[in-house]
Amino acid sequence: ALVVRFAGALGLDEARTAQLETAALLHDIGKIGVPDAILRKAGPLEPAEYDKVKEHVVLGVRILSAIPRQEILPWIEAHHERFDGTGYPQGLAGEEIPLEARMIALCDAYDSMITMRAYRDAHSERIARARVMQGAGSQFDPVLAALLVEMLETGSLARHSTHLPNASPAFGGS
């Protein structure tokens, strides 16, 4: 729901927003191949356990390889890439990461922060927004991070979608 709201605030068209919604709903489907003991572990993961978790993006793409919306597969595969290039599975950086994957990563991280987890309590929305901004430029696209926080704080965006990083005509860019 958050990524759909964000897409609307950014001015993405209905078709792209629908694709983004599908990708956001399915982005972690590969976790069905990760043992529950790892997914629900209360403490820190061992390196081998973390490697198993990281496999979920490629497994998700394999699971979804027969769906009609093939264009969303790169977004799902890249949703754990980091803006600074230290993410996985390919180590993409900056605008090499598809815009939609950057949006999913950002909205998913924010949602995760404000939701109770087995390994930690939920953060307040204020703290989660601050953590998003702390990750701007390293974990998250700094422009998208600022736009998401603006939307969350004000309910809308003062900026026009042409300010989107890596915007194309399909996204209201020039």
Side-chain angles (χ1 to χ4, degrees), residues 110 113 125-135 149 153:
Y110 177 81
M113 288 181 227
E125 291 183 18
R126 182 185 58 77
I127 289 173
R129 289 191 307 268
R131 291 194 62 190
V132 163
M133 291 313 299
Q134 287 171 354
V149 168
E153 289 178 346

Side-chain angles (χ1 to χ4, degrees), residues 52-135:
K52 194 73 171 158
V53 170
K54 292 192 311 188
E55 292 174 8
H56 86 275
V57 294
V58 175
L59 179 56
V61 168
R62 269 190 269 149
I63 290 168
L64 297 170
S65 64
I67 67 169
R69 290 189 167 181
Q70 294 290 301
E71 66 279 359
I72 71 171
L73 297 182
W75 311 344
I76 291 170
E77 185 173 15
H79 80 273
H80 279 289
E81 299 290 357
R82 291 174 49 111
F83 200 75
D84 64 6
T86 62
Y88 61 89
Q90 297 178 32
L92 300 176
E95 293 185 0
E96 293 174 330
I97 306 165
L99 173 67
E100 299 84 354
R102 288 179 273 151
M103 292 174 67
I104 291 168
L106 183 58
C107 292
D108 186 49
Y110 177 81
D111 183 67
S112 177
M113 288 181 227
I114 62 170
T115 304
M116 177 74 87
R117 299 292 182 191
Y119 50 89
R120 65 153 176 76
D121 290 336
H123 295 298
S124 71
E125 291 183 18
R126 182 185 58 77
I127 289 173
R129 289 191 307 268
R131 291 194 62 190
V132 163
M133 291 313 299
Q134 287 171 354

Side-chain angles (χ1 to χ4, degrees), residues 9-77:
L10 294 174
L12 272 65
D13 64 46
E14 285 185 37
R16 186 60 84 190
T17 298
Q19 293 168 325
L20 189 55
E21 180 179 27
T22 300
L25 288 169
L26 297 174
H27 78 279
D28 275 340
I29 196 166
K31 285 186 177 177
I32 64 170
V34 179
D36 283 345
I38 293 174
L39 292 176
R40 300 183 197 285
K41 187 172 179 179
L45 296 178
E46 299 295 326
E49 293 170 326
Y50 185 56
D51 286 343
K52 194 73 171 158
V53 170
K54 292 192 311 188
E55 292 174 8
H56 86 275
V57 294
V58 175
L59 179 56
V61 168
R62 269 190 269 149
I63 290 168
L64 297 170
S65 64
I67 67 169
R69 290 189 167 181
Q70 294 290 301
E71 66 279 359
I72 71 171
L73 297 182
W75 311 344
I76 291 170
E77 185 173 15

